[in-house]
Amino acid sequence: MDDSRVMRAWLRTVISGDPRLEVVGEAEDAVHARDFLMAHPADVLTLDIEMPGMSGLDFLTRLMRARPMPVVMMSSLTAAGSDAAIQALSRGAIDCMVKPSKSFGEELTADICERVYHAACTRPSQLQTRLQASGVAASIPAAQARNAAPCRNGSIILIGASTGGVAALETVLPALDPDGPPVVIVQHMPGNFLVSFSERLNRQMHQRVYLANEETPLSRGDIVLAPGNDRHTQLLRRGGIWGVKFAPNDPPALHCPAVNMLFSSAVGEAKHVTAALLTGLGQDGAEGLLALAEAGASTFGQDEGTCVIYGMPRAAKAIGAVQRELALDKIGHAVKESAAKRGRMKR
């Protein structure tokens, strides 16, 4: 569904070129899309966010009420588009991609096909879990102003997530202690989307949520997202105080920021670390989680039944990096308990 005839033609060519995928129809607006989906079965829908008449976001909301199905959103990188993309992911969309403007290279086309294919493979039970999770954040009280002191000699929580991570994080984070150890997150997402996501979480959470920077020491109750600045976010600990530093993406990694880079940077302080790997496509985070586990950290993975895409947690489990595999609604509490226990350990 896209109001641009050029974009629809390009997407049709790209998707039809993958032997796993078949385009069964297209629509230029909400009316045509509704009529088509009522008459024809489809496994997945690509949906433009910014459209005349009924926006893609409004259409998604109505679709999820009437006929829940996997949806991949197509968004521009404008501030408005990024904010709408985060809303879409929170309302049940499986994934959100940056709408191409000029460059239509092979890497982009392969990425689109991979995301559409994996979205189509989402099981009904996983989609239902996602829809239930989409209402969690709305009930969280807004963040309260507070005087935060740097977290000295305490534990820390690290989380990695990719596809499906927005809804997963909005389920896990509310279960954490509002005045607990700092949380550092790598969520695979374009930089503008991360800005919108951090602002959304900060409005909804008790904790202070912001994008990581090298000048700010981490305080209790902080939730920090690695920014999409073409640099990796890593941890450091000086004088017992946690902070972050940035590392260049050299040689270029598949994901930047990468979960592996965050996890690996904390191996030297593993006894203070609780780490969790949530839903996502690929293997990022598996090796870093294994290194943490072997060094004495407490490690968790999201189970297959509640993952939108059981890729990253599966890869970590396969190499023995996951000490406890739990359903999404159990992870937050378990991580909170683990971090509290490590905070009481002899430092």
Side-chain angles (χ1 to χ4, degrees):
M1 176 177 166
D2 196 299
D3 63 307
S4 167
R5 181 179 300 176
V6 172
M7 183 57 63
R8 292 201 310 273
W10 178 75
L11 277 172
R12 183 171 62 249
T13 300
V14 168
I15 293 172
S16 298
D18 190 311
R20 301 171 297 177
L21 303 171
E22 177 187 3
V23 178
V24 295
E26 60 182 71
E28 63 184 12
D29 56 33
V31 173
H32 287 90
R34 180 202 63 195
D35 292 345
F36 182 88
L37 291 172
M38 287 178 63
H40 303 86
D43 300 305
V44 61
L45 170 71
T46 66
L47 177 60
D48 186 17
I49 286 181
E50 297 168 334
M51 299 185 64
M54 183 184 294
S55 71
L57 190 60
D58 290 338
F59 182 80
L60 172 71
T61 301
R62 297 189 183 194
L63 179 69
M64 288 303 172
R65 291 172 182 164
R67 188 192 183 281
M69 65 179 295
V71 174
V72 176
M73 305 298 293
M74 303 288 290
S75 172
S76 69
L77 264 180
T78 63
S82 298
D83 184 62
I86 299 304
Q87 292 186 54
L89 292 169
S90 297
R91 295 187 189 191
I94 298 296
D95 204 352
C96 189
M97 300 186 57
V98 176
K99 192 173 183 178
S101 55
K102 297 179 181 179
S103 176
F104 293 174
E106 290 185 7
E107 184 176 338
L108 174 63
T109 60
D111 186 46
I112 288 176
C113 290
E114 196 69 14
R115 290 172 184 245
V116 170
Y117 173 75
H118 283 281
C121 293
T122 303
R123 295 194 298 272
S125 60
Q126 295 169 324
L127 186 59
Q128 188 59 41
T129 298
R130 185 173 182 76
L131 292 175
Q132 291 171 349
S134 68
V136 172
S139 63
I140 304 169
Q144 301 296 314
R146 58 187 180 83
N147 296 317
C151 181
R152 186 183 298 275
N153 294 326
S155 61
I156 195 165
I157 297 169
L158 308 181
I159 302 176
S162 186
T163 309
V166 168
L169 288 167
E170 289 187 341
T171 300
V172 170
L173 296 179
L176 302 181
D177 183 355
D179 193 38
V183 182
V184 183
I185 301 167
V186 168
Q187 164 69 53
H188 294 164
M189 189 180 290
N192 283 29
F193 291 7
L194 287 165
V195 172
S196 294
F197 187 35
S198 65
E199 291 173 349
R200 172 185 170 87
L201 288 176
N202 192 51
R203 290 192 300 266
Q204 296 171 337
M205 302 291 295
H206 281 297
Q207 297 94 319
R208 181 176 64 148
V209 185
Y210 59 96
L211 294 181
N213 64 79
E214 293 181 314
E215 288 74 36
T216 306
L218 304 184
S219 302
R220 294 189 65 83
D222 280 358
I223 296 176
V224 182
L225 275 72
N229 56 5
D230 294 323
R231 292 177 291 173
H232 296 288
T233 296
Q234 298 180 310
L235 279 177
L236 55 83
R237 197 163 180 261
R238 294 174 179 165
I241 296 176
W242 293 104
V244 301
K245 63 178 180 179
F246 296 135
N249 186 27
D250 185 24
L254 179 61
H255 300 288
C256 185
V259 183
N260 270 326
M261 293 291 284
L262 174 67
F263 285 1
S264 298
S265 69
V267 169
E269 302 287 348
K271 66 180 181 179
H272 301 288
V273 174
T274 297
L277 199 55
L278 306 180
T279 174
L281 178 63
Q283 302 181 7
D284 186 26
E287 293 182 0
L289 196 70
L290 177 62
L292 282 173
E294 291 178 339
S298 178
T299 63
F300 296 84
Q302 186 176 345
D303 71 356
E304 182 175 8
T306 59
C307 276
V308 171
I309 296 180
Y310 187 53
M312 288 158 48
R314 183 203 297 274
K317 182 181 179 180
I319 60 174
V322 177
Q323 295 166 351
R324 294 181 65 189
E325 185 177 65
L326 298 171
L328 179 62
D329 62 352
K330 306 294 184 185
I331 289 177
H333 179 74
V335 165
K336 179 178 73 172
E337 292 297 312
S338 171
K341 184 181 298 184
R342 287 179 177 269
R344 294 192 294 267
M345 291 171 60
K346 184 177 180 181
R347 300 177 176 92

